[in-house]
C-alpha cells in the first residue's frame, strides 16, 4: 500500500503563495487518483483539489478554483498543491490522499490512503 507524507506548510501572509508537496512511497502515485483536502478544528475535512490517474483531469473546490493548482511529478512519485492569493480562510491542516477506485472523487470516504497533514496558516 502507498504511504503519503506531506510537507511545505507554514505561516504566510494574505496574498502570498505557497506550495505543498506529497511524497509517495510503497506504490506508484500515477496508479491512483490523488486529492488534497483540508480541515480546521471542529469542522469536517473538506475537498480542495483532485487529479486523475491520467494526470490531466482535475477537480477543484469552488473556494480555491483559479487560485490553487494540483500537479504531479511521476518521476519523483510526488503530488503538489500550488496555492496563490492565499486568504485567512485557507488556514487549515492540508492532507494528501490517494484513491484506488475509478474516477476522481470529492468525498473523503472514497480515498483509501492519507498522509499525516501539514499546517498552513495565513495571517492577516
Amino acid at each position: 500500500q502507498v504511504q503519503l507524507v506531506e510537507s511545505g506548510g507554514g505561516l504566510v501572509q494574505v496574498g502570498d503563495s505557497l506550495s505543498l508537496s506529497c511524497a509517495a512511497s510503497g506504490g506508484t502515485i500515477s496508479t491512483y487518483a490523488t486529492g488534497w483536502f483540508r480541515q480546521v478544528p471542529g469542522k469536517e475535512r473538506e475537498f480542495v483539489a483532485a487529479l486523475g490517474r491520467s494526470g490531466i483531469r482535475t477537480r477543484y473546490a469552488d473556494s480555491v478554483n483559479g487560485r490553487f493548482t494540483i500537479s504531479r511529478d511521476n518521476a519523483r512519485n510526488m503530488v503538489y498543491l500550488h496555492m496563490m492569493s492565499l486568504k485567512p480562510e485557507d488556514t487549515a491542516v492540508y492532507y494528501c490522499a490517494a484513491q484506488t477506485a475509478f474516477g476522481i472523487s470529492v468525498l473523503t470516504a472514497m480515498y483509501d490512503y492519507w498522509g499525516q497533514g501539514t499546517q498552513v496558516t495565513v495571517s492577516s
Side-chain angles (χ1 to χ4, degrees), residues 14-124:
V14 169
D16 282 354
S17 299
L18 189 68
S19 291
L20 305 181
S21 300
C22 174
S25 60
T28 303
I29 197 62
S30 60
T31 63
Y32 301 87
T34 50
W36 286 94
F37 292 76
R38 65 188 182 187
Q39 188 170 24
V40 298
K43 290 193 174 182
E44 298 276 327
R45 191 170 297 187
E46 67 172 7
F47 170 76
V48 175
L51 178 68
R53 287 170 182 76
S54 66
I56 298 173
R57 280 191 64 203
T58 57
R59 298 183 72 175
Y60 294 96
D62 290 343
S63 59
V64 307
N65 197 22
R67 298 189 299 122
F68 290 13
T69 303
I70 187 171
S71 64
R72 188 176 72 206
D73 186 330
N74 291 341
R76 295 177 182 267
N77 215 30
M78 295 189 68
V79 179
Y80 304 97
L81 185 68
H82 308 282
M83 306 182 291
M84 300 189 306
S85 302
L86 284 161
K87 305 174 181 180
E89 51 264 42
D90 294 318
T91 295
V93 176
Y94 283 72
Y95 297 90
C96 175
Q99 174 188 335
T100 55
F102 179 78
I104 310 174
S105 180
V106 302
L107 302 175
T108 57
M110 292 298 294
Y111 286 80
D112 305 285
Y113 306 104
W114 292 84
Q116 82 291 347
T118 186
Q119 175 72 46
V120 173
T121 303
V122 183
S123 173
S124 56

